[in-house]
């Protein structure tokens, strides 16, 4: 790993990270505030039978299977919601796929690799930066949850001890996606293919998980999605499955292994 | 005895083949040696294999066959250590546009863990003022970018500088300053490997030159001996009948019209001068041999070699 490259990458990304972190924190706060303001009323509406049970089941499935009208359910919904997924993907997909291919396309990889840094060290540094950015972004969302829960007086409804595991589960999901992005990035001379591959994996994964949630016959396809292994409701209820973490870590390890083999062996022809 | 800074042995790079399209031999069996302390010119037109050679030396590309060593280290195995001791200026260098010139130079030095003993002097000689260095690189002209590229390649005082088209974009004054820097580096025992297609530049500053064409080495010589073997162009204007020059050693391409004689002259000028002594000469012009002529001659020879082979094949 190269400290100067890590510091440079941090400086290059810090404003973007700040914006994403604030957005995620606000989003995390919003769901808790909504729950605190309307959660009990909504539960009463549900229990009155005004909303069809099928619709209620669907909403619970979409939120990861938990009780959407509990604080834990609201937090779980926030973790799998497209808004938070898209925000964290700014780094998992955007940074991951651009880290090498973007430099290559701009021609600056040439200048970087003219220094006495091995390609593996460059990769390790960028991977460390990816983990750092994802970890901070996800943490910001959970900090937002904590602040809003304390401010609205509902924090007693949440088992705070489960939050670190939820953070780890979410971080591992996006690090797995980011590792795929980095693997695509080291394999490509241009940003567009690397970004396209990573975006495709992410979107297909998200759609597979969504389809499996809303369509019982499609449940069998869920295990093929990385998103299937993010189970915030189970984690927040203390029933998280360590296998989920292992699967996500496994995806990341395979992608990292691929990149560490492919990147040093690649020919980097003169930029055109 | 001078040591070898760069040595390639049958270095070959082939692209493509199979599903990756037709095979292209970007570099074919290149064997050259660059001595420590010399300025070595690597000449050839676009696509001749100059950048491929440099990228093989620095580990950006992996050789299909053959080997290369730099400063006694294996180019394939010791690439990181080689890059620690080498300064590299890529052709058409791309820089981080969002940094100031100063921040960029500091960043590139920090990446390499290098001290920068020559930075101030280089900036001074290339007229990069503190004010200029304080501006964003995105606002730089092409020439200023090239100057920054030169400084980043040399600021850590490398043992060997590998410069790809280094004077591109520099105005004549800055080119002169740059040549002065290279000459000082040579005087200090540094080695310069310089790829170029600016023949006057190579002729002016290089000690030896290699000429490549279509990935193959077609010449490797001292500039001085290369020029010594080239033909000079001679023009004589006469006020009366001229001497018979047909049998003078080194004279060829003789044409005489209306008191004007043109010829080509190679080798020793002594017999020619002796032959024209006493002739009614009004004016005499002897154009020095130029590297451009040598270069074009090599290419003409190489074309001639290729054409019969192509005809035979067809």
């Amino acid at each position: 790993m190269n400290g100067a490259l890590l510091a440079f990458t941090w400086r290059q990304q810090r404003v973007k990270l700040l914006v994403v972190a604030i957005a995620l924190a606000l989003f995390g706060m919003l769901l808790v505030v909504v729950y605190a303001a309307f959660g009990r009323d909504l539960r009463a509406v549900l229990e009155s039978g005004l909303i069809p049970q099928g619709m209620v089941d669907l909403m619970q499935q979409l939120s990861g299977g938990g009780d959407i009208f509990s604080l834990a359910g609201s937090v779980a919904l926030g973790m799998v919601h497209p808004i938070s997924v898209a925000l964290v993907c700014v780094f998992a997909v955007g940074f991951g796929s651009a880290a090498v291919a973007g430099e290559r396309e701009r021609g600056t990889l040439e200048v970087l690799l003219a220094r006495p840094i091995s390609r593996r060290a460059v990769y390790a540094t960028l991977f460390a930066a990816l983990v750092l950015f994802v970890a901070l972004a996800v943490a910001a969302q959970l900090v937002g949850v904590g602040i809003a829960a304390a401010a609205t007086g509902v924090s007693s409804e949440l088992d705070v001890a489960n939050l670190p595991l939820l953070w780890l589960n979410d971080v591992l999901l996006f690090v797995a996606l980011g590792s795929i992005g980095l693997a695509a990035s080291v394999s490509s001379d241009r940003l567009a293919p690397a970004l396209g591959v990573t975006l495709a994996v992410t979107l297909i994964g998200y759609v597979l998980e969504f389809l499996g949630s809303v369509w019982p016959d499609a449940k069998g396809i869920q295990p093929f999605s990385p998103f299937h292994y993010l189970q915030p409701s189970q984690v927040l209820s203390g029933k998280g499955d360590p296998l989920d973490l292992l699967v996500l870590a496994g995806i990341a390890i395979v992608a990292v292994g691929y990149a560490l083999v492919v990147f040093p062996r690649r020919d980097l022809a003169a930029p055109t | 005895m001078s040591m070898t800074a760069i040595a390639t042995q049958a270095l070959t790079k082939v692209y493509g083949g199979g599903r990756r399209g037709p095979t292209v031999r970007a570099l074919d069996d290149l064997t050259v040696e660059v001595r420590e302390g010399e300025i070595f010119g690597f000449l050839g037109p676009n696509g001749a294999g100059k950048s491929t050679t440099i990228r093989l030396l620095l580990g950006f590309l992996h050789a299909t066959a053959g080997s290369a060593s730099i400063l006694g280290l294996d180019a394939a195995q010791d690439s990181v250590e080689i890059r620690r001791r080498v300064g590299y200026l890529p052709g058409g260098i791309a820089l981080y546009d969002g940094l100031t010139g100063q921040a960029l130079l500091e960043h590139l030095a920090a990446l390499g863990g290098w001290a920068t003993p020559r930075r101030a002097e280089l900036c001074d000689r290339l007229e990069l003022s503190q004010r200029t260095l304080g501006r964003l690189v995105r606002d730089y002209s092409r020439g200023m970018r090239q100057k920054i590229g030169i400084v980043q390649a040399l600021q850590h005082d490398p043992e060997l500088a590998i410069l790809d088209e280094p004077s591109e974009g520099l105005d004549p004054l800055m080119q002169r300053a740059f040549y002065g820097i290279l000459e000082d580096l040579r005087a200090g025992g540094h080695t310069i490997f310089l790829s170029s297609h600016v023949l006057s530049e190579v002729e002016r500053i290089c000690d030896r030159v290699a000429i490549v064409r279509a990935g193959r080495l077609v010449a490797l010589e001292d500039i001085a001996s290369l020029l010594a073997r080239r033909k000079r162009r001679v023009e004589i204007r006469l006020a009366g009948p001229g001497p018979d020059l047909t049998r003078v050693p080194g004279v060829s391409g003789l044409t005489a019209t209306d008191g004007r004689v043109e010829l080509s002259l190679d080798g020793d000028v002594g017999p020619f001068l002796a032959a024209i002594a006493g002739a009614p000469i009004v004016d005499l012009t002897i154009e020095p041999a130029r590297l451009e002529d040598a270069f074009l001659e090599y290419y003409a020879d190489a074309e001639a070699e290729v054409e019969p082979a192509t005809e035979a094949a067809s």
Side-chain angles (χ1 to χ4, degrees):
Chain A
M1 210 161 79
N2 184 285
L5 179 59
L6 186 62
F8 177 69
T9 308
W10 169 260
R11 285 195 299 274
Q12 297 281 88
Q13 300 291 329
R14 63 188 170 187
V15 173
K16 196 192 298 176
L17 179 63
L18 183 66
V19 171
V20 166
I22 290 172
L24 280 165
L26 290 174
F27 185 67
M29 293 168 81
L30 178 71
L31 290 171
V32 175
V33 169
V34 168
Y35 164 76
F38 308 111
R40 291 181 187 88
D41 297 335
L42 286 170
R43 179 179 291 280
V45 170
L46 273 183
E47 288 171 355
S48 71
L50 280 174
I51 298 176
Q53 189 56 42
M55 180 73 83
V56 176
D57 292 344
L58 177 61
M59 289 164 74
Q60 288 183 337
Q61 284 299 321
L62 290 177
S63 71
D67 178 2
I68 194 170
F69 299 108
S70 66
L71 178 57
S74 295
V75 173
L77 175 63
M79 303 307 283
V80 298
H81 196 281
I83 289 178
S84 65
V85 169
L87 284 169
V88 186
C89 278
V90 167
F91 291 102
V93 176
F95 173 79
S97 55
V100 174
E103 294 251 1
R104 180 99 175 97
E105 189 169 280
R106 287 190 296 275
T108 44
L109 188 65
E110 181 114 345
V111 180
L112 172 61
L113 290 178
R115 315 296 119 183
I117 313 171
S118 70
R119 293 192 204 177
R120 286 201 172 107
V122 169
Y123 175 83
T125 306
L126 295 172
F127 180 74
L130 171 79
V131 173
L132 178 67
F133 298 148
V134 166
L136 290 175
V138 172
Q141 185 172 0
L142 293 178
V143 167
V145 166
I147 291 170
T152 55
V154 295
S155 53
S156 60
E157 297 178 35
L158 197 65
D159 188 351
V160 178
N162 291 324
L163 287 180
L165 195 57
L166 177 60
W167 172 82
L168 181 62
N169 195 177
D170 210 23
V171 167
L172 278 176
L173 168 67
F174 288 104
V175 166
L177 293 172
S179 303
I180 293 169
L182 267 175
S185 194
V186 301
S187 309
S188 178
D189 289 336
R190 290 179 298 123
L191 174 58
L195 185 60
V197 166
T198 317
L199 213 48
V201 168
T202 305
L203 285 174
I204 290 170
Y206 198 80
V207 169
L208 291 181
E209 177 63 9
F210 177 80
L211 280 178
S213 300
V214 298
W215 184 17
D217 289 346
K219 267 207 167 313
I221 61 175
Q222 282 183 310
F224 297 103
S225 165
F227 289 92
H228 183 62
Y229 303 96
L230 172 64
Q231 295 292 346
S233 292
Q234 289 181 18
V235 172
L236 285 172
S237 61
K239 296 173 193 162
D241 187 350
L243 192 62
D244 292 338
L245 305 183
L246 287 175
V247 170
L248 292 173
I251 293 170
I253 288 167
V254 169
V256 168
Y258 167 84
L260 286 174
V261 170
V262 167
F263 192 29
R265 295 184 182 188
R266 271 200 69 203
D267 275 340
L268 300 173
T272 52
Chain B
M1 197 177 97
S2 60
M3 304 284 284
T4 301
I6 299 174
T8 69
Q9 184 63 46
L11 195 61
T12 301
K13 181 63 189 175
V14 179
Y15 290 111
R19 288 182 301 153
R20 290 176 294 167
T23 300
V24 177
R25 293 185 86 82
L27 198 65
D28 194 1
D29 208 24
L30 180 78
T31 300
V32 291
E33 279 193 6
V34 178
R35 300 171 196 138
E36 276 186 8
E38 74 174 338
I39 301 181
F40 187 91
F42 201 50
L43 274 178
N46 294 335
K50 303 190 299 292
S51 293
T52 298
T53 304
I54 288 175
R55 300 181 83 79
L56 284 164
L57 294 176
L58 291 171
F60 292 124
L61 298 177
H62 304 281
T64 308
S67 63
S69 73
I70 299 178
L71 303 170
L73 299 164
D74 184 272
Q77 302 297 320
D78 308 313
S79 179
V80 172
E81 181 54 28
I82 285 169
R83 283 178 275 141
R84 193 181 308 285
R85 296 165 62 183
V86 169
Y88 171 49
L89 172 67
I93 187 170
L95 302 169
Y96 295 99
D97 284 352
L99 298 182
T100 64
Q102 181 74 28
L104 177 69
L105 291 174
E106 282 167 8
H107 169 57
L108 293 178
L111 280 174
W114 289 323
T116 54
R118 293 191 76 102
R119 185 193 295 165
E121 175 221 333
L122 289 165
C123 289
D124 188 41
R125 293 177 74 167
L126 293 171
E127 298 179 4
L128 284 166
S129 65
Q130 280 305 309
R131 190 176 165 182
T132 302
L133 290 172
R135 287 167 49 198
L136 289 176
V137 170
R138 72 164 62 98
D139 298 330
Y140 281 6
S141 67
R142 189 168 172 224
M144 282 157 69
R145 285 169 178 264
Q146 191 69 3
K147 289 190 218 174
I148 289 283
I150 292 167
V151 175
Q152 65 81 29
L154 303 176
Q155 63 178 342
H156 56 290
D157 202 21
E159 293 167 59
L160 166 68
I162 296 179
L163 311 174
D164 196 353
E165 310 284 357
S167 63
E168 215 168 56
L170 297 182
D171 62 45
L173 279 177
M174 280 304 104
Q175 282 182 9
R176 185 179 294 184
F178 172 62
Y179 298 153
I181 290 168
L182 293 189
E183 281 158 7
D184 287 353
L185 284 172
R186 173 174 52 192
H190 298 71
T191 310
I192 317 285
F193 181 91
L194 178 152
S195 103
S196 180
H197 56 242
V198 182
L199 299 168
S200 57
E201 169 179 282
V202 173
E203 185 176 334
R204 175 174 174 167
I205 58 174
C206 291
D207 302 303
R208 289 196 308 144
V209 62
I211 299 177
V212 285
R213 180 184 180 279
R216 286 190 184 174
L217 182 71
V218 292
L220 174 59
E221 280 190 74
D222 288 352
I223 292 279
S225 53
L226 192 65
L227 293 178
R229 287 198 296 102
R230 292 308 103 205
K231 292 170 182 167
R232 302 166 195 87
R233 275 202 290 267
V234 179
E235 186 182 323
I236 311 168
R237 294 182 66 195
L238 298 158
D244 179 12
L245 299 173
T246 52
R247 293 174 193 279
V248 177
V251 170
S252 59
L254 186 66
T255 57
T257 49
D258 296 336
R260 188 167 134 174
V261 176
E262 289 182 346
L263 55 92
S264 296
L265 177 67
D266 62 4
D268 186 5
V269 295
F272 169 74
L273 292 176
I276 63 170
I281 294 172
V282 177
D283 193 15
L284 170 65
T285 306
I286 302 179
E287 277 185 32
R290 293 178 307 157
L291 185 61
E292 187 176 344
D293 296 328
F295 185 78
L296 293 174
E297 203 168 300
Y298 272 114
Y299 272 76
D301 291 348
E303 290 284 356
E305 279 173 25
V306 168
E307 274 170 18
T310 312
E311 282 166 17
S314 62

